[in-house]
């Protein structure tokens, strides 16, 4: 069921400095797969400091960190496992890292690294682990030191427990254990998610070389039925393509058992804008379409 507009919470920021949010300014949401964008940011910041080489093959593997980050490593996804979804629905305790990895890899790799594309949460779990190993710190510390403190994102943190999720907007959050998101799940306000992506996409966070690397897109396909995408690709932690009537869209959508979100930057407009939309339900098209509608209402397209 598509939620009515009163259940949609959004924030937007433009390059000229305009900003607006709906709903309570301190309302917290799970960022779901927008967390992948932050994992990629941490990897790029470490690469800038010489602590990581994104293109080098990971020891003991056939793929590189770059291939994990752009989903070309050939790894499967635990999201395709029916038993995983049944366990989540029963509110079981999360499986161990080794159990989820074994279950996901039971049928082997999907293709040789670099020879295809397939979305993989397992790949991002391994990417996060590689980033943590290179830094000698866990992901929560890296997010704090490399991302949230520099950008003054006071609401953003890693959810560690059901108690952390109980602070989120929708009541169903209190019954979900974030340990089921194996690459980690950030939480925060709609405003801070838009502020984060806007800083990155407008060049205020990464070096020009790192931003170019992040935006190097692997083509994925054309239009997605029911969603605003007319062409799709994936960069490093970024969904990237074109949405109908908006030009380029760069960011990430996310989904969990009880809510969905979309956080996108639209650079092809007179006043480039970043929009974050969060709503209940399980249909990612709803916040994506809301981003497009907000864009059209909030700024005028470039001629």
């Amino acid at each position: 069921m598509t939620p009515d507009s009163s259940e949609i919470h959004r924030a937007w920021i433009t390059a000229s400095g305009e900003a607006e949010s709906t709903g309570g300014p301190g309302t917290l949401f799970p960022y779901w797969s927008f967390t992948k964008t932050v994992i990629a940011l941490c990897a790029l910041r470490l690469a800038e400091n010489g602590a990581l080489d994104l293109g080098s093959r990971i020891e003991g593997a056939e793929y590189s960190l770059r291939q994990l980050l752009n989903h070309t490593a050939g790894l499967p996804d635990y999201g395709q496992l029916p038993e995983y979804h049944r366990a989540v629905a029963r509110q079981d305790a999360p499986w161990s890292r080794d159990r989820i990895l074994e279950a996901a890899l039971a049928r082997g790799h999907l293709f040789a690294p670099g020879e295809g594309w397939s979305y993989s949460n397992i790949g991002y779990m391994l990417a996060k682990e590689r980033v943590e190993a290179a830094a000698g710190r866990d992901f929560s510390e890296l997010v704090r030191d490399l991302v949230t403190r520099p950008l003054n994102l006071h609401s953003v943190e890693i959810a560690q427990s059901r108690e952390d999720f109980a602070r989120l907007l929708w009541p169903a959050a209190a019954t979900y254990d974030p340990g089921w998101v194996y690459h980690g799940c950030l939480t925060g306000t709609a405003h801070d998610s838009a502020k984060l992506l806007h800083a990155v996409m407008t060049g205020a966070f990464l070096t020009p070389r790192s931003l170019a690397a992040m935006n190097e897109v692997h083509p994925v396909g054309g239009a997605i039925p029911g969603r605003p995408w007319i062409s799709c690709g994936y960069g490093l932690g970024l969904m990237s393509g074109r949405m109908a009537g908006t030009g380029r869209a760069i960011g990430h959508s996310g989904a969990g058992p009880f809510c969905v979100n979309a956080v996108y930057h639209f650079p092809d407009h007179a006043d480039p804008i970043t929009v974050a939309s969060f709503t209940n339900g399980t249909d990612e098209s709803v916040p994506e379409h809301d981003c497009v509608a907000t864009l059209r209402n909030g700024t005028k397209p470039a001629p």
Side-chain angles (χ1 to χ4, degrees):
M1 179 182 295
T2 301
D4 62 48
S5 61
S6 66
E7 296 177 288
I8 295 177
H9 302 255
R10 70 182 68 85
W12 54 265
I13 304 171
T14 70
S16 65
E18 293 185 49
E20 185 174 308
S21 297
T22 65
T27 303
L28 299 174
F29 306 93
Y31 285 0
W32 301 126
S33 283
F34 184 57
T35 304
K36 291 180 173 70
T37 303
V38 179
I39 293 171
L41 287 174
C42 289
L44 287 160
R45 290 298 299 272
L46 290 172
E48 289 175 356
N49 297 332
L52 272 177
D53 182 351
L54 301 187
S56 295
R57 182 182 297 180
I58 294 173
E59 184 177 356
E62 296 298 316
Y63 45 75
S64 67
L65 179 57
R66 187 187 306 277
Q67 289 169 330
L68 291 176
L69 294 174
N70 67 11
H71 296 298
T72 62
L75 296 175
D77 180 31
Y78 59 73
Q80 307 303 317
L81 300 172
E83 59 268 34
Y84 165 84
H85 293 286
R86 289 193 291 266
V88 173
R90 291 193 303 265
Q91 300 179 24
D92 291 354
W95 299 345
S96 69
R97 177 261 190 200
D98 290 344
R99 180 179 176 184
I100 195 72
L101 187 62
E102 180 181 5
L105 295 177
R107 297 184 181 180
H109 290 204
L110 302 178
F111 47 81
E115 296 300 317
W117 187 91
S118 187
Y119 192 87
S120 176
N121 286 296
I122 283 291
Y124 262 80
M125 179 187 78
L126 297 175
K128 186 196 75 168
E129 292 175 353
R130 178 71 185 97
V131 168
E132 289 175 323
R137 290 178 285 169
D138 68 28
F139 185 50
S140 62
E141 293 175 322
L142 287 170
V143 171
R144 180 194 65 205
D145 296 341
L146 299 182
V147 181
T148 62
R149 279 183 178 171
L151 293 176
N152 294 314
L153 304 174
H154 300 296
S155 75
V156 180
E157 58 184 33
I158 295 290
Q160 306 281 4
S161 65
R162 291 180 191 266
E163 289 72 25
D164 291 337
F165 255 47
R167 300 183 298 115
L168 307 184
L169 175 62
W170 289 291
T175 66
Y176 183 84
D177 192 320
W180 284 113
V181 184
Y182 285 87
H183 58 57
C185 184
L186 289 169
T187 63
T189 64
H191 172 79
D192 277 354
S193 67
K195 181 178 177 181
L196 191 165
L197 184 63
H198 195 73
V200 173
M201 290 293 103
T202 55
F205 187 68
L206 295 171
T207 66
R209 181 177 180 181
S210 292
L211 183 57
M214 193 175 197
N215 280 316
E216 186 175 340
V217 175
H218 182 93
V220 175
I224 302 177
R227 295 171 70 171
W229 296 98
I230 57 176
S231 66
C232 301
Y234 204 92
L236 300 184
L238 291 171
M239 297 169 65
S240 184
R242 302 182 72 84
M243 291 186 181
T246 70
R248 289 176 293 162
I250 307 167
H252 221 292
S253 300
F258 57 89
C259 68
V260 287
N261 63 275
V263 186
Y264 285 94
H265 180 69
F266 299 91
D268 295 338
H269 284 254
D271 193 5
I273 184 172
T274 303
V275 185
S277 178
F278 293 78
T279 187
N280 62 331
T282 58
D283 184 355
E284 288 175 278
S285 74
V286 174
E288 290 176 349
H289 282 296
D290 185 67
C291 284
V292 172
T294 303
L295 168 69
R296 290 172 176 168
N297 292 333
T299 190
K300 295 180 179 179

